[in-house]
Amino acid sequence: WAGANASPLPSSSSSSSPEKSKKKSSAQRGNAEQASRMQISDTMTVSQLQDECRHRGIKGFSGQNKTWLLDQLGVGTVWLSHPSSAIGKTSTPAKAKKSPAPTTSRKVDEKPKAKAAAIKKDTKKKVPTPKKRQPPSDSVNWSEAPRITSKLTIVQLSHELQMRDPSVTGLSSKTKPWFLSKLGDNSVWTTSPSMNATTIANAPVVTNALTKGQLIHEIMTRMPEIKGLGSKS
C-alpha cells in the first residue's frame, strides 16, 4: 500500500520506447542501404554491368563503355544478377540421397565349371571384321566422264582451274582459249556437278612422272586428229 503522496512508478513501455525507435530507425537505414546496393548505379564496375546485361539477355554489350551499359540497363533499376539477389533465381529442391542397398554376404564357394566357363569366355579373341575395299580407279569408265570443251563458260573454266591450282590469280581478264590451253582440251571436267568426289579423289592424274609414250597415248586418246607427236618433247 502506498500513500496518497507516493509518485506513480514509471511504466516499462515508456522506458523501452526510445530503444525501440532507435532499433527501428537503424533497421530502416539498413534496408535503404541494402536497397540502394541492389540497384543499377554508376558505382558498379564494367564487369558487373556486363554480367547484368548477360543476365537480362541484352546483346552487343561486349567492348562497350560504362555509359552505354548504364543507358541500356537503366540507372535505378533492380540489379538482378547481384549475388545476394533472389529475383529470377529458382531454388531447386535438393535431391534425396538414395541409401545404399544392403549388401548381403554370400559364400565364396563357386562351382568349378562356372569358373572354367568364365575363364574361357575372357580368353576368346574378338575377330575383327574385314573392311570393305574400295574399287580401284581403273574400274571407272572415264570415257563417259564430262570433258573440258569450248562449250563451257569462262566461269566454269575459271572454277575448274582454281580447283586444280589454287595459287593461280588474275583470271578475270583471261580468255576462253587461254583457259583451254591451261586445262587441256577434252580433259576430265572434275568440278562438273555429275562427278563424284570419291571418284575424283581416286582418279589418276597426268604428272611429270609419266613417260613420253604415256603422254603421247593420252593426247591421242583425247584428240585423235593430232599428228606428228613423235618429235615433241
Side-chain angles (χ1 to χ4, degrees), residues 125-133:
K125 294 182 179 179
K126 295 181 180 180
V127 180
T129 56
K131 296 182 179 179
K132 294 182 179 180
R133 294 182 179 180

Side-chain angles (χ1 to χ4, degrees), residues 95-99:
K95 295 182 180 179
K97 294 183 179 180
K98 295 182 180 180
S99 58

Side-chain angles (χ1 to χ4, degrees), residues 24-145:
K24 187 176 181 180
S25 61
S26 61
Q28 291 177 351
R29 287 196 302 269
N31 293 334
E33 292 176 358
Q34 185 178 4
S36 63
R37 290 195 300 269
M38 298 288 289
Q39 294 177 351
I40 301 298
S41 64
D42 56 356
T43 58
M44 297 172 61
T45 63
V46 174
S47 178
Q48 291 172 335
L49 294 173
Q50 290 177 348
D51 291 340
E52 181 67 14
C53 289
R54 188 179 296 107
H55 184 81
R56 295 189 186 184
I58 298 173
K59 299 180 180 180
F61 59 85
S62 180
Q64 300 293 343
N65 54 20
K66 182 183 287 187
T67 304
W68 187 92
L69 297 172
L70 290 172
D71 291 340
Q72 294 296 321
L73 296 172
V75 177
T77 57
V78 180
W79 185 1
L80 299 177
S81 60
H82 192 275
S84 62
S85 174
I87 300 175
K89 298 179 181 179
T90 57
S91 60
T92 56
K95 295 182 180 179
K97 294 183 179 180
K98 295 182 180 180
S99 58
T103 56
T104 57
S105 60
R106 61 178 182 178
K107 295 181 180 180
V108 186
D109 297 335
E110 296 180 357
K111 294 181 180 180
K113 291 183 179 180
K115 288 183 178 180
I119 294 172
K120 188 176 181 180
K121 186 177 180 181
D122 295 337
T123 54
K124 284 184 178 181
K125 294 182 179 179
K126 295 181 180 180
V127 180
T129 56
K131 296 182 179 179
K132 294 182 179 180
R133 294 182 179 180
Q134 295 182 353
S137 59
D138 296 338
S139 62
V140 181
N141 188 4
W142 293 106
S143 61
E144 299 179 356

